[in-house]
Every structure is written in C-alpha cells, then in structure tokens.
C-alpha cells in the first residue's frame, strides 16, 4: 500500500491561508471561527480581545478564561497578555468528531468584574492527513469461468477518515486484459468499486489473475492506498445469492439490551446443494465499532445486538452484510442495514459551577451575581431540555442568561448575624418522561460587615471597693459582646475622660483594653470620697469603628481605719486632765462628760465608753453610750482625796480601735474657782492669782464688765417699760426670775465665784436685779452686782425654772484670777453613731 507525501512547508502555508479565508467574523452574542486540524501548539486562531471589544490590559485582572467541563481536553487557550486565541494542543478532527459532517468546538468565554459570558464556535476544518486504506492488503476473488461478460464483482471499499474532497474520490485498476473497473456512488456520496468482466475467462488457460486496485482521495496533494486482488477462476456456480432488497432500515431504542434482534435478513440462491446454501457475515469494510455493537448469525441471517448503544454518541449505524453461498466460485452479494436509534431519557442533567464569587458581603445589594451555572443534558428533544431552580427559603434566585446558562443572584439583603452561611440546593430537571433531575449544593458563606455596635452585658455596673485598697488591685471587670465576627468583633475597652474631685479619672482607675479588667491606681479613702462614677467605652476594630458606653458606679466601703479621738476633756500642757469633785457630792453627781469622735462611719464610728482603770471602781461609773462620769456613792472618810481614772473609748469596728484618757479627780471640801479640764477654756500656766499683773488684768476686766452690764441694764429697763405699756403684768416676777444672792449653796446647780463668799468689812451685800430677757419664754438675764465691780459675776441665759441636781452645769468653773463667770451646759456626746460631715472633716486634721 502506498501513501501520499507528508505535509511540508507548502502544506503549512496552505493550511494557514485556508484558516484566514474561513475565519468567521464575530457576530453579536456569538463568534465563529474556523481552524484547520493538526496545527502545532501556539498556532493563531483569533484575536478575541479585539473581536469582543475587550481591554487587553484588563484581561488578566478580570480573569478572562475558557470554561469547559471537568475532564474535557482543552484544545484551545487564550493568551491573557494580548487576548489571542491559540491552539493549545494538536486537534485531530477525526478524533474530536467521530461522525462526519461539520466539526464544531463550542467554547464558553467568561470574564469577571462585571461578569460577562460569550459563546464562540470554532469549526475544525479537515485537511488531507489520511490516505485511503483497505481492510486487507490482498483480496481473493473467486470468479466462475462461466461468468458472462459484463458481470460485476463488487470489491471491498477503501476507508478514508477524512471528509469531503479529502475522502475517497475514485478507484483505479492496474491494466489487464480481462477486467475493467467501474466506480459507483452510494446514497451517502461514498464511492465503491466494481470489477467488470470484459473478456471470458478460461480456467484451463489461466487459473489466477492478479490486479492492483488503487483508491485515490480528492485532497491536494492527493493520497492513495492500494490492495492486491487475486482473482481465482472457478468452475461454474452460475447463480449468486440475492437479498430481498438492497437496503434495509430499522429503528431501535438506545436502551435495548444485548441479544435484541435487530433485523432478520433473507437472501436466496437458485442453485441447489452447497451452491444454494447461504452464509451471512459482515462485509470486510464494516467498521470496528459496528462489529462491537452487532453480530450476524451466519446461518439464520439474524442481526443481533451485541453491545450497549448510546444515542448521544451516534444516532445511526450503517451495517453492510454480505451473503455468499457455499458452492464453488461463490460470489458474495451485499446489502445495507441502517439502524436508527431512538433517544431514551437515560442521562440526567449535569450541573457545572462555571464561576463562583464567594464569600458574599452581607451588605451586598439585591441582584448581586454570586455564581454562573451551566447545565447540560446529553439527551435530545424534550429529554435534553432542562429547567433549573433553587431551593425554597433562600434569598437567591436563578436568572437565565443564555440557553442552559444561569446566574445565581441575591434577592434581598443578607444578615450574617442571622444566617452566616447558606447551603443553596440547585435542582436541574429535564423534560423527559420520566423526568431525571440532578441536585447540586452550593455553599455560600456570608462575609461580615461591621454593622453591629458592641453591647455591654449589663446596662450599668455597681462596684463596691473597700477603702485602703492596694494600688493596682483589680476591682471589677466589664464585658461587652459584638455579634460581628473576626476583626469587627474584636473589642478594646477604654475609660472616657473626666474628673473626680478635680483630678483626672485616669489617676484613679485604669482598664485593660483587651480583657475589660479595671484596676484601682490609688488607695481610696472613704472619709475623702464615698462614691464616684466613670464611663467605660467598648469599641470594635471594624471600619468605621462602632462603640458603646456604660456607666460604672464605684462605691467605697468604710473600713475601721480611724481610732476614736478624745475631744473632751483636753489635758493642759500634755499633763493629765484634772477635775475637782466636792466631797459632799451625792450618788449620781455628774463629774464630767468624756466626749470622743470617730471619722469612720456605720458601726465603725459607734462609740462605747468604759472605765478601764480606777483607784476605786465602786466610787465612779461611766455611761457606756454618753460617756458621762458620775459618782456611784457618797464619799467616805477613808476614800482617797485623789482619784486616778482611765476611761477607754472603743468603736464598733472589727477589729475595734480605742483611745484612752487619764483623769485625776481631786476631792475637795469646797469648790474653788478653778477651771475644769472638762471645759473648753484653758488658761496659760503662767497666769497666777498672786501675780500683780493678774490683779491689774482683773481690775481692767471688771471695769469693762461693769460698763457692759450697765449698758445691758439700761437697755433692759427701757424694754421692760415698753412691755408694761403694751401688756399688763408682764414683768420680771419672782416666779419667773430669781435674784442672785451673794453666795448660794451648791445644791441649787449654780456655782458662784468664791471671791464673793466673804465680803470685806464695811461693804453691803450684793444687789441682784432681774432683767427680763428678750429671748425665748422662761429665760431671763441675771445680773448680780456686788460692792466691788471686780467681784461681779454675769451669768448668761439661765432657765428660770429651778435647776436640777448637777445635771446641767457640771462643767462650770471660775477662772482663778477673773471675775467673769460663765455658766454653760456640758456638751453631751452624739448618741447617733453616724457623725456629721463637719465633724468628719475636722477629724481628718488629727
């Protein structure tokens, strides 16, 4: 067998020229090009960037690409730098398109941002790259010597995978004296040769004739194939079989099982005996695919299905069956059987996600394209028509852009905090009966957007901190939540600017920006600050950042850190406080009151008094709540004249703090005019009654006092006169005002100056005037005037009712060298264990 010359430079030039002549111009929505087969890798096909009107510089950024099914061979590719469509691998038209006719490559081109889809068809043009071939290199043709002139003997056809003019064009026979060749054309335009007997055969003269059959295609340059035909001359078997008809047609469903009867062939032979027995078989040029699918019973002529049919691969099969008798010089006759396949809905739709843009932002507007989906059904007709839909209750829908192409778009706003991820079920269903469907699930995560502000777990926080806390200690923790995720949910805490008692809030507390733990930067003092509030801000790390504020109330709890402070009696010059007690004092006599204060609050400031040490515990007692020091019994002769007492003041804290005061009580027969240490007045120790300076001071003070009292008397008289005019009987009557004698017993509750107890000779008794007071009812001014102005006493605001026994003026004493005597009540300790704010402020100075 001979073959045509291989393609050279001239043939490559012709291919390129043919491609340029046949390249289709781009149509709206779809482009069509033509390219010869067998081009080398990198061969130019088309300039898609120019034909589609795309900016070549943006092809790479927009991910311009060819979309193909998974597993499909990529014969063509796009250069993203210049937009040129080129050959990626060698294209064999006979391999790509098994059936004849136009061979098209369907390309789907996808470009993003925005998402666009283009369809391109590339026709693969056949080139004469195959030479015709015969099934065998040598054929044996048996011809009876009785064959008449003009008898025709069909020969095996040559096969050429090329199509059109490149397929088998004609046959040629080598020169001989007995046979000629006639080329016939079938209905499908294919050619076959018949050997025509031109001269009677004589087996006795020549038993074998050898001729060379050549098949030539119509390509340029042409290619050819040869086969040797060995014609054997036989004795006469002068009848050949004959089929009922030269061609048969039959329809068969593609899902027919193996063993199905396709057709029953029948051929007859008028001869008898072996010359009339017919055997059926496929002709020599039956393709291998036909032999795989079908089987011919040699004796019965039944054509049976052997393999599995596939309408999508080939919808029609052409079978050539020959019948040949068993006699000598048997001649085979041929018939054609066309098997038409009926499509069955045996292919479910295929769903391919061409492009997926995930994740999708939760603030994406409705209509945002999420994915491009292609569906394919290999069936035909209604079996190949596909509808596509998405599952219910999802904010997505499918929109058809091209046939069998859909875009998945959003239909409403998304919220990642409600649904962070969608599993979208895509169902593709064909129109066959019964319908076949395919479900594919697409997972679409929703990307977070900072659309939620932080939220604190509590509307406000109340924190209780014990005073005297250690600086740097944690006092509380605040916490906030953000429904967003990742960076949008990362929170940082801070304290808003402000001032506490004139100081920046940052000098009091700090906060850990990551955990929200708050720390006290200084030791707090309940006595200085009871409570304060700060604003804590939680801010996320999104863009733009969102924040929330919460108020933190910090209450300082009191701690027993202040011991009681003795405010009365106050020792003079650091010595022990002294007090005089008359020996004639009765039981219950009020010696004095011990007063103390505590800067703490609550139970920590509740004070109790007790007698800690005493010369004689049976003689004195201290009221635990008021601190009043009273006698328990009358003094006896054997009682010591100096009584040493230690009074302890204890608060109610845990542990309790205390303070003590030492008292020295002197028991005297008569009370001198000395100032008690229980009084709030104090004299310098250098002042002495025996000093001349003291005398001068007393005279001066007496003169001033006399002048002052005289003025008061005048004013009082004027006032009393005016009151008599306005109201009768309203005067200083004895029941309301009492005159002051020169000296009075101590039992009346008034301790008078001892300087007037024994007046000098030649003087008269003191004159007492009662002057009505202008103050509240029941009070008046008592003015006691003696013969010597220096020995006058002036007593202020004394109640007119008879005084009780030593209960109102226990602390009244006269200064040694003064003639001015002041009567005042002893201050009782505060029975309320919460000291007033003014007292607490004063205590902080101790």
């Amino acid at each position: 067998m001979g073959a045509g010359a291989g393609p050279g430079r001239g043939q490559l030039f012709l291919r390129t020229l043919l491609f340029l002549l046949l390249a289709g111009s781009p149509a709206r929505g779809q482009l069509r090009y033509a390219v010869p087969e067998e081009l080398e890798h990198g061969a130019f096909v088309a300039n898609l960037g120019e034909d589609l009107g795309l900016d070549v510089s943006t092809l790479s950024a927009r991910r311009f690409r060819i979309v193909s099914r998974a597993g499909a061979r990529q014969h063509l590719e796009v250069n993203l730098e210049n937009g040129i469509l080129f050959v990626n691998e060698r294209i064999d038209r006979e391999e790509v398109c098994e059936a004849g006719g136009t061979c098209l490559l369907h390309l789907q081109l996808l470009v993003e941002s925005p998402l666009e889809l283009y369809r391109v068809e590339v026709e693969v043009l056949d080139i004469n790259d195959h030479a015709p071939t015969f099934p065998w290199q040598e054929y044996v043709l048996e011809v009876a010597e009785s064959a008449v002139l003009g008898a025709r003997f069909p020969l095996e056809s040559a096969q050429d995978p090329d199509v059109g003019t490149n397929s088998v064009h004609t046959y040629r026979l080598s020169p001989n004296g007995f046979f000629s060749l006639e080329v016939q054309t079938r209905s499908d335009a294919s050619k076959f040769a018949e050997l025509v007997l031109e001269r009677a055969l004589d087996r006795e003269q020549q038993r074998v004739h050898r001729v060379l059959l050549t098949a030539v295609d119509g390509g340029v340059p042409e290619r050819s194939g040869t086969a040797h035909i060995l014609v054997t001359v036989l004795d006469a078997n002068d009848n050949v079989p004959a089929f009922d008809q030269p061609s048969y047609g039959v329809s068969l469903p593609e899902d027919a099982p193996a063993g199905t009867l396709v057709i029953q062939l029948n051929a007859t032979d008028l001869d008898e005996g072996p010359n009339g027995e017919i055997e059926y078989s496929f002709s020599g040029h039956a393709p291998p695919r036909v032999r795989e699918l079908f089987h011919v019973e040699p004796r019965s002529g039944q054509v049976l299905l052997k393999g599995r049919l596939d309408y999508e691969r080939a919808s029609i099969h052409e079978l050539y069956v020959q019948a040949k008798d068993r006699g000598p010089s048997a001649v085979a006759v041929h018939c054609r059987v066309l098997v038409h396949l009926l499509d069955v809905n045996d292919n479910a739709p295929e769903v391919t996600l061409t492009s997926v843009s995930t994740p999708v932002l939760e603030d994406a507007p409705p209509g945002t394209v999420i994915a491009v989906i292609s569906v394919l059904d290999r069936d035909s007709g209604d079996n190949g028509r596909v509808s596509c839909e998405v599952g219910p209750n999802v904010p997505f829908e499918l929109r058809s852009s091209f046939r069998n192409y859909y875009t998945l778009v959003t239909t409403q706003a998304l919220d990642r905090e409600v649904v962070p991820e969608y599993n979208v079920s895509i169902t593709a269903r064909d129109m066959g009966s019964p319908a076949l469907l395919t479900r594919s699930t697409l997972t679409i995560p929703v990307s977070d957007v900072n659309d939620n502000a932080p939220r604190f777990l509590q509307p406000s926080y109340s924190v209780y901190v014990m005073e005297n806390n250690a600086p740097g200690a944690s006092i509380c923790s605040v916490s906030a939540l953000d429904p967003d995720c990742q960076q949008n949910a990362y929170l940082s805490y801070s304290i808003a600017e402000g001032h506490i008692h004139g100081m920046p809030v940052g000098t009091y507390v700090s906060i850990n920006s990551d955990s929200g733990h708050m720390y006290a930067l200084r030791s707090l003092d309940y006595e200085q600050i009871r409570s304060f509030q700060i604003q804590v801000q939680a801010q996320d790390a999104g863009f733009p950042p969102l924040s929330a504020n919460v108020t933190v109330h910090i209450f300082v709890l009191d701690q027993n850190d202040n011991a009681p402070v003795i405010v009365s009696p106050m020792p003079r010059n650091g010595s022990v406080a002294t007090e005089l007690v008359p020996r004639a004092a009765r039981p219950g006599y009020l010696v004095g009151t011990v007063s103390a204060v505590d800067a703490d609050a609550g139970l920590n400031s509740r004070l109790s008094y007790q007698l800690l040490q005493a010369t004689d515990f049976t003689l004195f007692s201290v009221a635990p709540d008021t601190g009043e020091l009273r006698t328990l019994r009358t003094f006896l002769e054997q009682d010591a004249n100096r009584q040493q007492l230690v009074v302890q003041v204890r608060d109610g804290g845990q542990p309790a703090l205390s303070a003590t005061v030492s008292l020295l009580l002197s028991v005297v027969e008569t009370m001198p005019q000395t100032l008690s240490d229980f009084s709030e007045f104090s004299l310098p120790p250098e002042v002495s009654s025996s000093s001349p300076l003291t005398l001068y001071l007393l005279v001066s003070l007496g003169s001033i006092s006399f002048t002052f009292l005289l003025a008061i008397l005048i004013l009082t008289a004027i006032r009393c006169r005016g009151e008599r005019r306005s109201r009768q009987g309203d005067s200083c009557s004895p029941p309301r005002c009492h005159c002051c004698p020169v000296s009075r017993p101590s039992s009346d509750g008034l301790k008078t100056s001892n300087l007037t107890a024994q007046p000098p000779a030649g003087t008269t008794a003191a004159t007492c005037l009662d002057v009505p007071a202008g103050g509240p009812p029941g009070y008046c001014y008592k003015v006691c005037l003696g013969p010597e102005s220096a020995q006058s006493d002036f007593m202020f605001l004394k109640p007119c009712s008879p005084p009780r026994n030593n209960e109102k003026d226990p602390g009244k004493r006269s200064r040694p060298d003064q003639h001015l005597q002041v009567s005042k009540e002893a201050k009782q300790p505060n029975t309320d264990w919460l000291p007033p704010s003014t007292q607490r402020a004063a205590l902080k100075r101790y």
Side-chain angles (χ1 to χ4, degrees):
M1 180 183 73
R9 292 186 177 178
Q11 185 175 358
L12 180 59
F13 171 78
L14 291 176
R15 290 183 184 177
T16 307
L17 180 61
L18 181 62
F19 159 72
L20 294 176
L21 291 175
L22 296 178
S25 60
R28 181 178 182 181
Q30 179 171 314
L31 303 177
R32 183 163 182 172
Y33 303 94
V35 59
E37 65 173 335
E38 301 296 337
L39 289 180
E40 298 295 331
H41 172 77
F44 175 87
V45 177
N47 192 334
L48 292 178
E50 179 180 350
D51 295 342
L52 295 176
L54 300 176
D55 186 359
V56 177
S57 62
T58 64
L59 294 181
S60 179
R62 296 182 65 186
R63 298 184 61 194
F64 183 63
R65 62 190 183 277
I66 298 176
V67 180
S68 59
R69 292 199 312 257
R73 298 178 62 179
Q74 195 76 17
H75 296 288
L76 302 174
E77 189 56 75
V78 177
N79 189 332
L80 297 181
E81 296 181 359
N82 50 28
I84 292 177
L85 181 68
F86 63 93
V87 176
N88 187 44
E89 63 178 24
R90 187 181 65 86
I91 304 175
D92 188 351
R93 182 191 179 282
E94 288 72 26
E95 179 183 354
V96 174
C97 303
E98 293 183 3
T102 304
C103 182
L104 295 176
L105 295 178
H106 298 278
L107 305 180
Q108 285 79 35
L109 302 177
L110 186 69
V111 63
E112 298 180 355
S113 301
L115 191 65
E116 295 178 336
L117 186 67
Y118 303 92
R119 300 184 65 181
V120 175
E121 290 182 354
V122 178
E123 180 181 359
V124 181
L125 303 178
D126 183 53
I127 64 173
N128 193 20
D129 58 338
H130 294 86
T133 58
F134 289 92
W136 297 281
Q137 295 294 320
E138 185 175 295
Y139 291 90
V140 176
L141 180 63
E142 295 179 347
V143 179
E145 63 177 349
S146 60
V148 297
L149 298 177
R152 297 173 179 272
F153 305 96
L155 302 177
E156 293 291 342
S157 299
Q159 299 296 318
D160 192 338
D162 297 327
V163 296
T165 58
N166 295 326
S167 63
V168 176
H169 178 66
T170 187
Y171 293 86
R172 298 171 185 168
L173 189 66
S174 61
N176 64 89
F178 293 90
F179 300 95
S180 64
L181 191 68
E182 285 191 10
V183 179
Q184 303 291 336
T185 303
R186 298 188 181 96
S187 60
D188 58 352
S190 61
K191 303 293 181 65
F192 68 97
E194 291 181 343
L195 198 62
V196 180
L197 182 63
E198 298 290 343
R199 179 180 172 185
L201 299 174
D202 188 356
R203 180 178 177 277
E204 287 71 23
Q205 292 183 3
Q206 187 176 353
R207 301 181 61 178
V208 176
H209 298 271
R210 296 180 181 274
V211 293
L212 180 64
L213 180 62
T214 302
V216 181
D217 62 21
V220 178
E222 66 179 17
R223 292 174 178 268
S224 63
T226 60
H228 293 276
I229 299 177
L230 182 62
V231 180
T232 302
V233 180
L234 303 176
D235 285 340
N237 179 14
D238 53 355
N239 291 291
V240 296
F243 284 98
D244 296 339
Q245 57 190 57
S247 179
Y248 297 88
V250 64
S251 297
L252 190 66
E254 64 170 325
D255 61 348
T260 301
L261 176 63
V262 179
I263 191 172
Q264 174 70 60
L265 298 178
N266 184 40
T268 58
D269 193 326
L270 299 178
D271 293 330
E272 294 181 353
N275 293 333
E277 295 178 2
I278 301 175
E279 290 184 351
Y280 301 90
S281 63
F282 282 115
S283 61
H285 60 269
R289 179 64 178 167
V290 171
R291 297 179 184 272
E292 292 175 1
L293 296 177
F294 302 96
H295 169 69
V296 178
E297 287 292 332
R299 293 303 238 172
S300 63
Q302 291 181 342
V303 179
L304 302 176
L305 182 62
K306 178 181 177 182
R308 183 178 178 180
L309 301 175
D310 189 355
Y311 177 88
E312 288 70 40
R313 184 171 181 179
S315 61
I316 187 171
H317 295 279
E318 188 175 16
L319 286 65
Y320 288 94
V321 180
Q322 66 179 11
K324 184 178 181 181
D325 60 32
R326 302 181 64 184
S329 303
V331 177
V333 294
H334 301 79
C335 74
R336 184 179 69 165
V337 179
L338 291 178
V339 180
H340 299 272
L341 299 186
L342 302 177
D343 185 37
V344 176
N345 192 21
D346 58 344
N347 291 282
E350 299 176 7
V351 178
T352 303
L353 298 177
T354 303
S355 178
V356 180
S357 300
T358 57
V360 58
L361 291 175
E362 62 176 323
D363 61 349
T368 301
V369 178
I370 305 301
V372 177
I373 301 168
S374 63
V375 293
L376 173 66
D377 196 317
R378 299 175 184 270
D379 297 321
S380 61
D382 289 340
N383 297 332
R385 289 206 300 270
V386 181
S387 64
C388 200
E389 60 185 11
V390 297
N393 303 323
V394 292
F396 304 96
E397 68 177 3
L398 288 175
R399 296 178 182 175
S400 178
S401 53
F402 293 100
R403 183 175 180 270
N404 293 338
Y405 278 87
Y406 299 87
T407 55
L408 182 67
V409 299
T410 58
T411 59
Q412 63 186 45
L414 307 178
D415 191 347
R416 190 206 66 83
E417 288 70 38
V418 177
V419 181
E421 184 178 85
Y422 290 92
N423 292 319
V424 181
S425 176
I426 302 172
T427 303
R429 181 183 286 105
D430 60 26
M431 303 298 179
S433 179
L436 298 180
L437 58 87
T438 298
R439 285 191 176 91
S440 178
T441 300
L442 174 61
T443 300
I444 303 176
V446 181
S447 178
D448 185 47
V449 174
N450 191 26
D451 56 348
N452 290 278
R455 179 174 54 84
F456 283 92
L457 300 183
Q458 300 179 20
S460 65
Y461 291 83
S462 296
V463 181
Y464 298 89
V465 182
M466 187 66 70
E467 67 171 332
N468 301 319
N469 58 293
S474 176
I475 58 175
C476 72
S477 176
V478 296
S479 181
L481 296 178
D482 195 318
D484 296 321
C485 67
Q486 296 179 356
Q487 184 175 352
N488 295 330
Y490 177 78
L491 301 181
S492 61
Y493 300 90
S494 61
I495 297 177
E497 294 183 359
H499 290 81
I500 301 174
H501 287 236
M503 296 293 292
V505 67
T507 63
Y508 280 83
V509 292
S510 66
I511 191 169
N512 188 305
S513 61
D514 296 327
S515 63
H517 291 289
M518 297 180 63
Y519 304 91
L521 298 182
R522 61 169 62 183
S523 181
L524 301 177
D525 191 347
Y526 175 84
E527 288 71 38
Q528 290 185 354
I529 181 170
R530 298 290 182 87
S531 65
F532 59 92
Q533 66 182 24
I534 60 176
Q535 293 288 328
V536 176
Q537 182 185 71
Q539 179 173 291
D540 59 31
F543 182 81
L546 301 178
S547 62
N549 294 341
V550 70
T551 301
V552 180
H553 301 273
I554 300 178
F555 299 92
V556 182
L557 300 179
D558 184 44
Q559 192 177 41
N560 193 23
D561 57 342
N562 291 281
V565 176
I566 305 295
V567 296
S568 175
M570 294 296 294
R572 288 178 292 178
N573 299 328
S575 62
V576 178
T578 62
E579 178 63 29
L580 301 179
V581 181
R583 183 174 291 276
R586 298 178 182 179
Y589 175 81
L590 180 62
V591 178
T593 302
V594 178
S595 298
V597 293
D598 194 315
D600 293 322
L603 290 175
N604 296 331
S605 66
R606 188 169 186 176
L607 304 179
S608 62
Y609 303 83
Q610 64 177 351
L611 193 58
L612 189 64
Q613 296 178 9
T615 305
D616 188 350
F617 281 97
T618 64
L619 189 56
F620 299 98
S621 68
V622 175
D625 295 329
T626 63
E628 292 180 346
L629 180 63
R630 294 180 182 271
T631 58
L632 292 175
R633 59 178 175 82
T634 58
F635 288 93
L636 303 178
E637 292 296 334
Q638 61 270 24
D639 291 333
N641 292 333
R642 297 174 65 85
Q643 297 288 330
Q644 183 75 30
L645 303 180
V646 176
V647 178
Q648 183 187 58
V649 183
R650 179 187 296 267
D651 60 26
Q654 291 293 333
L657 301 178
S658 63
T660 60
V661 60
S662 297
L663 301 176
L664 180 60
L665 302 181
S666 298
V667 181
V668 296
E669 297 297 332
T670 59
M671 294 293 292
Q673 288 188 344
T674 58
L675 186 62
S676 171
D677 284 335
F678 284 97
S679 173
E680 296 181 358
F681 296 98
S682 63
L683 290 175
E686 60 271 9
V687 178
S688 173
S689 60
S690 60
S691 173
L693 179 60
T694 301
L695 180 59
Y696 298 150
L697 291 175
L698 290 176
V699 171
S700 301
L701 184 59
S703 302
I704 295 173
S705 299
F706 176 77
T707 305
F708 176 68
L709 291 175
L710 183 60
I712 290 178
L713 288 174
I714 296 173
L715 293 175
T716 302
I718 296 173
R719 178 156 188 168
C720 288
R721 183 178 302 173
E723 289 182 357
R724 288 193 192 99
R725 294 175 182 176
S726 62
R727 186 174 56 187
Q728 291 182 356
D730 191 3
S731 62
C732 263
S733 59
R736 302 186 59 174
C737 298
H738 300 276
C739 188
C740 300
V742 174
S743 65
R744 298 180 59 138
S746 61
S747 60
D748 64 353
L750 284 174
K751 297 179 182 179
T752 59
S753 174
N754 290 328
L755 297 177
T756 61
Q758 296 179 357
T763 60
T764 60
T767 303
C768 294
L769 296 178
D770 293 332
V771 181
Y779 288 85
C780 65
Y781 290 99
K782 289 186 178 183
V783 181
C784 299
L785 299 176
E788 296 179 2
S789 62
Q791 296 178 344
S792 300
D793 291 336
F794 182 51
M795 308 181 69
F796 296 94
L797 200 60
K798 185 65 182 174
C800 295
S801 59
R804 289 192 287 264
N805 181 21
N806 270 334
E807 294 184 349
K808 295 297 181 179
D809 344 335
K812 185 174 72 173
R813 294 290 185 271
S814 299
R815 296 187 182 180
D817 297 319
Q818 282 185 328
H819 302 286
L820 176 62
Q821 180 180 7
V822 178
S823 173
K824 60 186 301 184
E825 296 179 6
K827 184 184 296 183
Q828 299 294 329
N830 188 6
T831 58
D832 185 6
W833 45 270
L834 282 174
S837 59
T838 56
Q839 196 176 60
R840 292 194 200 100
L843 286 176
K844 298 311 290 184
R845 297 193 295 269
Y846 288 96

